[in-house]
Each structure stands twice: as C-alpha cells, then as structure tokens.
Amino acid sequence: MKGVRQRKKIGTASSPRPGTGRVRGKHSRKRGRADAELGRKMSEKSNKIILVMSGILTVVFITVVYMTNRVVPFMMDDLWYSTLLFEETPVSSLADVIRSQVWHYNNWGGRSMTHGILQLILMAGENAADILNVGVTLLLMAAVCLVADHRRLPAFVAAGGMVLGLNADWRMSMFWQSGAANYLYITVFILLFLFCYLRELPEDGKAGARKVEIGGAEAGKAGARGTEAGKTERLSGPGSRRGAGSPGFIRSGDKRSALPGITVWILPLGILAGWSNENMGPAVWIVTLAVIWLLHREQRKIRAWMVLGNLACLAGSVLCIAAPGNAVRSAQIREEEYGVLWRLFLRSYGECKGAMEYLFPALLVLGAVLLVSRFALGQRLDMREKLLLLGVLLSWGAFFLSPHYPGRASFGTMVLCICVILSLAKKILGQRPDLAWPLWAGALLVWFKGMYFCGEWLSLVWGWIK
C-alpha cells in the first residue's frame, strides 16, 4: 500500500495542473507580441535613420553635380553645334536650329532630336546649361524610380549614385554638353515612354502566386520576430491589392485609369524615344511592342494610344537610322577598308568590350541582387523586369551593327540595368525588411564611388591634385 501511495503521489506531482497549458500559451503569445512590437519599433527607427541619411546625401549629390557642371565648359562638338553647322554663324533662334538640323540630317547623322535639344541649350548659355543639367539628372533619377516602381527617397539616392558610380564614361555622357543631350536628356524621355506601357502590364500569374506563397511562409517563420515581414510581402507583392496599384501590374478585372491626355502627348513622346539614338530607339520600340503582344495574349483591351505611341516610336527609329548623313559619316570610318571577316571580328570585339568593360559594373551589381532575389529568397522575375532585361540585351546587341561603340553610348543600357536593380531591391525588402541595411550599405558604396569621380575631377581642376 505504501508503494502504491508513493507511485500515486509521484504521478500526481508530475502531471500538469489544470489551466497550466493555457497560461503558458498566453505567456508565449504575449512574448511573441512583445518581440513583434520591438521588431517593428527597431524597423521604424532604421527607416527614419535611412531617410535622414538619404536627405543629406541628396543635398550633397546636387551640390557636387552642380559644381562639376560649373567646371566643365562648352567644348569640342559643343562649339560646332553652337553654329549653323554649314557655316560659322552662331544659332540665335529656333529657325536656325531647324535649318542646321536639316543640313545635319542629310550630311552628318540622324540624331536630329538630341542635337536639336543640344543647340537650344547652347543658345541658353553655360549658366543655364549647368542648372538644366542638374535638373535633368534629378528627373532621370525620378524616372528610374518610376519605371522600377520603387518610389522612396533611398531608392532615389541609390539611382543617382548608380547613374554616376556605374557609368562607363560619366564625364562624356553627363557633363559634356553634347554627350548630356545625346544620353542624359534623351534617356529621361525614353524612360517616361516606357513607363506608360509598363504600367499597363497584366499580372504575371505564376510569379504572383509564388510570391504570395513566399510571403505566407515568411509570416509563418516570423514567430518571435513578429509577422511584419510576412505582412509587408503580402501587401507589396504583385498579387496583392497594393501591388496591383503599382506601375507594371493590374489585377484581373481592375480598370486602370489612363494618364490624362495620353492619346495626344504619346505621339511626340514616342517620336522622341524612337528618334533618340541608334541602339535605344529600336530596343524601346520592341519592348513596347512586346507589351502590346502580352496584352493581346491575355485578352486585355489594347488602348488606341498604345498603338499610336508604338508606331510613333517606330517612325522615329526609322528616321534616325535611315538618315542620309549616317551613310556619309560611316564612309569616313576606317573599318570600311577591311574585309567581311575582319569586320565581324571587330564588331564582336566591340560587343565584348561593351559587356566586359563599359557595362560590367552595372552587370555585377545586377547579378548580385539577382542572386539574392532568385536563389536566396526564391523570388521570380516579374514581367516588367523581364522586359527591361530584354531592352538591356537589345540595346547592347544593337551595337554589333555599328562600326563604333564608345563608352558613353552604353549609358541607356546601364540605366535599364539600374531600373531592374531597384525593382529587385524593392521585392527583397518586401520579403525581408531586415535586409534594408545591407542593401543600403551596398548602394552607399556605389554612391561614394560616383562622388569620388566628381571629387577627383574637381580637385584636379582646382589644382588640389597635381
């Protein structure tokens, strides 16, 4: 009996008392909520720090870019384009610009739009040009964020840092006035034109479903860290309601409001985008044509302005490439003296140089972000990113048809890479907000590289470095 009572006593002591499990579960939930609240407060604090830093860096960026513009005078081709071209009389009116560009189209090259913009800026003078260049640089940064659908101040700063820091020839594409008109200015129009089409894209069903699943899994793993990451992904993913309102995705059944007056202004914008330069014009036309085809495949309504804009872009590209002046200029290039095989070798070398030298920094950053997004987090490229990468491939490959591929000509291709980088970064942050600081550190490193370029040039001009 004593043994039986002892066993009963031991069994009674080891069994949980009524209500103990509920109390422990309640304490566990309280601890989870407390950890989630702590994580949210830490995330908000980090965001505020990054926003303040972004504001400071924006002011520094504007100051440095303006000072760099101030020390770069009108030079080389600027001096020729400030005249009527066929004679040394300075341009003084819009009529003079039109006359000179008609001559230019027939005798030197087809970039009438970019060189017309250049002559108008040269007429305004160096002081006005310096201010305009800074303003257009900021517009380009905003347009990159618009196309990437990453519209936050840190993304804006990162865009500016990458445009300078990943640039193969930043002086000749952004600060030399002729280069700025041909690349910096015209790329703004190209991105705005692309944005009009990319915002109409249907939802990529498979990618959207995958991302929602990832968001749910992340919410399940949040546990003690809270569910903030999962919530963010579900809200910002392409399959979500918020994602549907972002450029590049619409939910089935949603009616996206057209941009005001787009049927009218898409025509000149399309002509500008197509009549930009020989590689970007056709690339943009094919990308927008692909958007129309995708809408047709998804049995979505194809709006009239989309067809009109695409045709305008095609017309601009044809006018740019078919200019009689292009043949005149090509005849002066030494490559024409070589045989077919040697030309093929030189063209292939130019393409390799473009990828391995001019575009390599941008491709390196793009590859790193893509590895994190695709292989570490399991995210898939959405349709907008795929189309932008198609534009990258086409604008790079188009130079196989050109006898000359200067570093500054890779500017538009680099900008498309930056759009994809920022788009991927947004998706990474949607799923893993805790990666904000590593991504910000990488963007800051590239930003400092761009500032180093300008700082070194200013120091040389001011005589601080000899």
Side-chain angles (χ1 to χ4, degrees), residues 28 131 143 263 319-320 336 341 358 459:
S28 178
I131 296 172
T263 307
L319 287 169
C320 181
E336 301 299 325
L341 290 178
Y358 303 153
S459 299

Side-chain angles (χ1 to χ4, degrees), residues 156 169 350 417:
F156 181 77
D169 197 347
C417 288

Side-chain angles (χ1 to χ4, degrees), residues 156-185:
F156 181 77
V157 174
M162 286 189 283
V163 166
L164 261 179
L166 304 180
N167 200 326
D169 197 347
W170 58 276
R171 280 192 295 266
M172 304 303 282
S173 62
M174 295 181 67
F175 296 97
W176 176 42
Q177 201 58 54
S178 294
N182 276 274
Y183 303 107
L184 174 65
Y185 281 66

Side-chain angles (χ1 to χ4, degrees), residues 361-376 421 424 428 439:
L363 294 175
L364 191 64
V365 175
L366 174 59
V369 177
L370 188 58
L371 282 173
V372 174
S373 173
R374 181 68 184 95
F375 297 102
I421 291 168
L424 291 172
I428 292 171
L439 287 175

Side-chain angles (χ1 to χ4, degrees), residues 194-270:
L194 272 177
F195 166 71
C196 296
Y197 285 82
L198 295 178
R199 72 189 294 270
E200 298 291 332
L201 279 173
E203 179 187 333
D204 187 354
K206 293 181 180 179
R210 170 69 174 159
K211 287 170 194 167
V212 171
E213 289 171 9
I214 290 171
E218 192 67 25
K221 292 177 183 177
R225 295 181 300 156
T227 58
E228 199 64 29
K231 289 179 181 177
T232 307
E233 172 60 17
R234 289 195 298 273
L235 288 173
S236 62
S240 67
R241 190 171 299 276
R242 185 182 298 179
S246 305
F249 298 101
I250 54 177
R251 289 167 59 88
S252 178
D254 283 356
K255 293 183 179 180
R256 179 175 296 282
S257 59
L259 296 169
I262 190 170
T263 307
V264 176
W265 54 258
I266 197 67
L267 291 172
L269 185 59

Side-chain angles (χ1 to χ4, degrees), residues 375-394:
F375 297 102
L377 302 181
Q379 297 172 338
R380 297 182 182 181
L381 290 171
D382 58 41
M383 192 54 65
R384 178 180 62 249
E385 292 158 352
K386 291 177 182 177
L387 288 172
L388 288 171
L389 288 175
L390 174 64
V392 169
L393 183 63
L394 292 172

